Amino acid sequence: MAVMEAISIISLVGNFFNQVWQRRQSTQQLQAQADNMHKQLEQQRANRGVGGLQAAASVASTAGNLYNASKARKLQLEIAQLHAESQQLEAQAAREHSKELQESAFSHQRDLEEQKANHQLALMRERLRLDTYPFREGPGHFGSSMRLVYPDPVAMPPVLLLVPPAPGDGGPQPWSGLIARIEADLQAFQRAGLVSVKVADRHFRWPHSDLYQSDLRTLPVIILEPMLAKERLEIRIGGCNLVPGSTQPVTDAGGVLPLRFPDAAWWTPEELSRLNATSPTADTFQLPNPSDPRTLVDLNHELASRAAVLCAVTAIDCYHLINSWGYAEQLDDVARAAGIVAHRRRVDGGLSLNAMADPAFHVLHSARRRLDAGDPAGAAVQLRRALALLSPAAFADLDQVRDEPGRSLVELAAAARVGAAQHHIRWFVELAEALAGSGALVAADAAAAVAVLDPGQPALEATNHHYLPDGRSLL
């Protein structure tokens, strides 16, 4: 028992020590484990520090990547937005360009149509111009043709352009065919070189801008238009370039002589005799009594033609009085032939002496008119007035010049020698002798004045051209 107890005690002690050793071992193990754990902890801590940095770095990298990615996405969005806006602008520009192309094409088409319409309108106007121009050959032909005949417009006679009736004025009307008759009656004046008579192909109203600019701008032209309206006839006169240096070269047409178509009862034997007495064909052809409508028309056309010629010659005389020195006037003979001037009526015209190239010669014509009209006293006054105009005195207004009653005819003749030419002297000699024979001048004074004006000058006949025979008036 004791042994068993001793063994038990030993066993217990041994167990105790064993337990202590085991505890020691356990403690060492625990300590080792603790150390190991501590090392592990330290390692973990160390590892945790590196990992943290790495994590931080990883987080930072991730954050940076995320920022860059966000920025890139934002940039991509902006680029996409810009690209979209660019595409929109390009699309809008394309639409606007297409619209501009359409508008340009439309405008071009419209311009083409407008040009075509203007061209057609210009062709129509040109056709209308050619169809209505006074001469069939068109603008420019008449003027160039006249310049072939008269290269110097200053030396050429005036052109007397007759205007034919309007289409509605011809045909069955009583004055139909009158223009041809007027043209024929004016040929004597053309042969004398006083005028160039022409007839337009178509009716026109003067002034006519196109005709003036295209053909008449450099030509002296007298326009004569018979205005016809059934039995009524009116002569209208106009023209251009009739007064040298005028600031208004175109003269409007105006009525100068109205007539009516006389009936058969008007033509008494006395009137018919007067018309025949002054007819240029009196020696070969006598105008018949108006026994039928045809002979009535013939008689009336003869009278109307003479009246128209009177108007034309009046205009011709006025032109030459303004432009010509020593012009022998034609008005007296034509007025007598027209049969519209009374036996004692004077035809003197209304042109101012201030406008005339040779006013003294015109006054000598006026003296002869008064003498022919049975007014020798009035003729003597005009003779003295002509001498006064030939004197070297300066006059402000030639129309107001009168002879000085206190001076003798010889004194006036002596003063007139300075300005007197041969045509003045010839007419003065003729008139002085005629007036001395009528008692209007003292014969001795007239002879002395002739001797002073041109010593040894014989008495000469008048120099006027007589294209139509003298005769009594129809009125």
Side-chain angles (χ1 to χ4, degrees):
M1 180 128 212
V3 173
M4 289 182 60
E5 289 178 1
I7 295 169
S8 297
I9 294 171
I10 293 168
S11 178
L12 290 170
V13 173
N15 288 332
F16 173 76
F17 278 100
N18 188 38
Q19 292 180 354
V20 172
W21 182 81
Q22 288 180 348
R23 290 178 180 167
R24 178 174 176 276
Q25 288 293 329
S26 179
T27 301
Q28 290 179 346
Q29 289 178 352
L30 290 172
Q31 186 65 39
Q33 290 178 355
D35 291 339
N36 189 30
M37 291 179 63
H38 179 73
K39 289 179 181 180
Q40 288 180 355
L41 288 173
E42 291 295 329
Q43 186 66 33
Q44 289 178 358
R45 288 175 181 170
N47 291 338
R48 190 179 298 121
V50 173
L53 291 175
Q54 291 178 348
S58 176
V59 169
S61 175
T62 301
N65 290 336
L66 291 175
Y67 175 78
N68 290 335
S70 175
K71 187 176 181 181
R73 283 194 300 273
K74 183 178 180 181
L75 183 60
Q76 288 176 351
L77 290 175
E78 291 177 354
I79 292 173
Q81 185 177 359
L82 290 175
H83 181 67
E85 291 176 355
S86 176
Q87 288 181 335
Q88 290 178 357
L89 291 175
E90 289 178 358
Q92 183 179 356
R95 288 192 300 270
E96 291 179 354
H97 181 63
S98 175
K99 183 179 179 181
E100 289 177 356
L101 289 177
Q102 292 177 357
E103 291 178 351
S104 177
F106 176 75
S107 177
H108 180 66
Q109 182 65 26
R110 183 178 57 194
D111 291 342
L112 289 178
E113 293 176 355
E114 185 176 353
Q115 291 176 4
K116 183 178 179 180
N118 290 337
H119 180 66
Q120 291 176 347
L121 181 59
L123 290 177
M124 292 175 59
R125 286 177 175 172
E126 185 63 22
R127 172 50 56 190
L128 180 62
R129 181 191 187 198
L130 294 176
D131 290 343
T132 59
Y133 197 73
F135 297 99
R136 290 191 181 92
E137 294 83 356
H141 181 269
F142 177 78
S144 61
S145 298
M146 293 303 300
R147 284 186 287 273
L148 287 176
V149 182
Y150 304 102
D152 183 6
V154 177
M156 71 176 292
V159 177
L160 180 64
L161 184 58
L162 300 176
V163 182
D169 294 337
Q173 296 199 9
W175 299 113
S176 178
L178 180 61
I179 285 291
R181 194 164 198 142
I182 296 173
E183 181 187 14
D185 288 345
L186 287 168
Q187 292 306 305
F189 302 95
Q190 178 164 306
R191 288 192 297 270
L194 300 178
V195 70
S196 177
V197 183
K198 303 298 177 186
V199 181
D201 297 319
R202 299 186 181 96
H203 176 80
F204 66 92
R205 287 295 178 88
W206 185 259
H208 191 290
S209 176
D210 195 7
L211 176 61
Y212 174 76
Q213 295 294 339
S214 300
D215 286 288
L216 309 184
R217 190 166 54 89
T218 61
L219 303 177
V221 181
I222 300 169
I223 307 292
L224 189 146
E225 178 187 4
M227 297 286 292
L228 312 176
K230 295 186 178 181
E231 284 78 16
R232 181 177 175 81
L233 167 68
E234 183 178 47
I235 305 298
R236 300 176 77 238
I237 295 285
C240 62
N241 306 316
L242 300 176
V243 180
S246 174
T247 58
Q248 294 181 333
V250 177
T251 304
D252 197 3
V256 294
L257 179 64
L259 290 174
R260 293 192 68 84
F261 193 88
D263 56 19
W266 188 86
W267 288 103
T268 64
E270 292 78 15
E271 298 295 345
L272 185 60
S273 176
R274 290 177 182 178
L275 194 66
N276 274 316
T278 55
S279 172
T281 61
D283 296 337
T284 58
F285 174 75
Q286 289 286 309
L287 296 168
N289 290 319
S291 57
D292 54 53
R294 185 187 63 80
T295 56
L296 178 62
V297 168
D298 195 48
L299 284 172
N300 288 341
H301 280 204
E302 179 70 21
L303 179 62
S305 178
R306 294 190 190 192
V309 170
L310 173 64
C311 296
V313 172
T314 303
I316 294 169
D317 271 3
C318 287
Y319 174 82
H320 286 291
L321 286 171
I322 293 172
N323 295 277
S324 303
W325 171 262
Y327 173 67
E329 300 171 26
Q330 309 300 305
L331 182 61
D332 303 277
D333 297 325
V334 177
R336 284 190 291 269
I340 60 173
V341 180
H343 177 61
R344 299 182 60 85
R345 185 176 177 180
R346 294 189 297 269
V347 180
D348 213 10
L351 187 63
S352 170
L353 293 178
N354 298 296
M356 297 181 185
D358 193 351
F361 198 36
H362 172 71
V363 174
L364 288 172
H365 281 79
S366 179
R368 194 189 78 167
R369 291 187 184 108
R370 283 161 174 76
L371 181 61
D372 292 344
D375 183 14
V381 171
Q382 291 298 95
L383 187 68
R384 292 173 61 89
R385 187 185 182 198
L387 292 177
L389 288 168
L390 289 171
S391 70
F395 301 106
D397 184 0
L398 298 183
D399 292 326
Q400 302 302 320
V401 173
R402 300 291 184 270
D403 72 284
E404 299 178 21
R407 301 181 68 183
S408 67
L409 187 64
V410 176
E411 290 175 330
L412 290 172
R417 288 187 61 181
V418 177
Q422 287 301 313
H423 59 277
H424 299 119
I425 296 172
R426 287 194 297 268
W427 274 62
F428 178 81
V429 169
E430 180 192 61
L431 288 168
E433 291 187 350
L435 291 172
S438 68
L441 290 178
V442 177
D445 291 343
V450 169
V452 169
L453 192 62
D454 189 12
Q457 174 67 35
L460 300 176
E461 295 182 357
T463 58
N464 237 21
H465 299 286
H466 294 275
Y467 297 123
L468 299 175
D470 289 338
R472 289 165 44 183
S473 170
L474 289 178
L475 300 180

